[in-house]
Amino acid sequence: MAQYGNTPQGRLDDKRRYSEYMRIIRDSIGRDERKLVDSRAFTTERFTNDVVFFFEYAHSVGASSYENTRHWYRAMPTNEYNYLKLHNQLDCQFYGGIASNYTYSKDGYLTNNGPNTHLVEFSVGMDGDKFVKLIHEETKRLQGNRWRFNELKPEDGALSIGLGRTGHYKGAAGTVFNDLLSARKITWRLCCFRHRLDERTKQQIRQWKEENAIS
């Protein structure tokens, strides 16, 4: 029997019921994310009674070597994601890391109750080895005689580059990254987001369950 999607109780095997269930949740999602859900690009993979995670495919999954990846990832809170949408720039505070591994970023930094709500994939247009060399070269150009080589940070099968003020080259790596975003040499897309169900939506779900005799 076909199974159509995740719910907190498991996977519903009734297409009509699953569509009804998701319609309740869909109506509570913000406009931009709702368009993505309606396009069917996103599916649900992690689901609790309080939050639902919507995922799309990602390019660099698992512990693949950073040297060959052309895609880097950052989990971020809603305000940072909104800034990125509005300005096509990252407003990184503190370390502001991007990682070469989607799985590392998703599993480590996009949790049920953490501050991050969105996971973005950046396409840098070159393999990871060339991209890392570019970061070193461009920060050296920016900092001149003040430049000192910074070793990048290996992270459980991924490589991390700190773009914020306490990251690599004291924020100069972030300046380089944002310049590349402005020049459209780096592009980005949303590949995962967390949606927290409000009380009204949870009440609608409870009522729907009662009407459909779902425990």
Side-chain angles (χ1 to χ4, degrees):
M1 182 177 292
Q3 294 182 317
Y4 292 98
N6 294 317
T7 75
Q9 290 72 38
R11 291 184 67 83
L12 282 176
D13 57 11
D14 184 295
K15 185 176 181 179
R16 178 186 62 81
R17 284 186 172 181
Y18 179 69
S19 296
E20 291 174 353
Y21 189 80
M22 288 308 302
R23 191 176 301 117
I24 297 171
I25 293 171
R26 175 258 184 211
D27 289 343
S28 69
I29 298 173
R31 183 183 63 182
D32 290 342
E33 285 87 349
R34 189 164 65 238
K35 288 179 181 178
L36 296 171
V37 173
D38 288 347
S39 74
R40 300 184 183 275
F42 282 74
T43 60
T44 59
E45 289 187 15
R46 278 160 48 188
F47 218 136
T48 75
N49 287 317
D50 296 309
V51 297
V52 56
F53 290 82
F54 289 91
F55 292 86
E56 198 187 6
Y57 73 93
H59 288 90
S60 298
V61 178
S64 57
S65 171
Y66 85 88
E67 286 93 347
N68 298 319
T69 186
R70 299 171 71 90
H71 300 89
W72 296 70
Y73 299 87
R74 175 165 174 77
M76 59 186 70
T78 301
N79 63 317
E80 186 180 326
Y81 176 69
N82 288 337
Y83 187 93
L84 176 63
K85 283 198 303 182
L86 183 62
H87 301 286
N88 193 39
Q89 297 277 279
L90 279 176
D91 183 26
C92 291
Q93 304 297 318
F94 308 109
Y95 182 74
I98 58 170
S100 61
N101 186 305
Y102 164 82
T103 306
Y104 167 81
S105 299
K106 174 173 70 71
D107 293 348
Y109 293 95
L110 199 65
T111 61
N112 289 352
N113 298 306
N116 296 320
T117 54
H118 294 73
L119 182 62
V120 171
E121 178 184 83
F122 295 96
S123 177
V124 301
M126 64 188 78
D127 63 44
D129 187 51
K130 290 181 180 178
F131 178 65
V132 166
K133 289 177 181 176
L134 179 66
I135 293 294
H136 290 309
E137 291 168 359
E138 288 299 302
T139 53
K140 186 175 184 178
R141 181 183 63 81
L142 287 176
Q143 293 185 326
N145 293 333
R146 295 182 294 111
W147 186 85
R148 296 293 182 273
F149 177 77
N150 282 191
E151 193 71 50
L152 299 186
K153 189 178 178 184
E155 297 273 16
D156 191 24
L159 189 73
S160 173
I161 302 176
L163 302 178
R165 293 192 304 270
T166 62
H168 289 95
Y169 300 110
K170 298 181 179 180
T175 299
V176 171
F177 195 87
N178 278 336
D179 286 346
L180 292 169
L181 277 170
S182 293
R184 307 291 177 179
K185 293 180 180 178
I186 293 178
T187 58
W188 66 270
R189 68 181 181 89
L190 180 65
C191 61
C192 179
F193 69 94
R194 182 187 74 198
H195 175 60
R196 187 168 297 280
L197 304 178
D198 58 29
E199 289 303 319
R200 179 173 177 271
T201 301
K202 287 191 280 190
Q203 177 57 39
Q204 288 177 316
I205 289 172
R206 287 192 290 267
Q207 181 178 343
W208 176 83
K209 288 180 182 176
E210 291 174 2
E211 292 172 352
N212 288 273
I214 297 175
S215 59

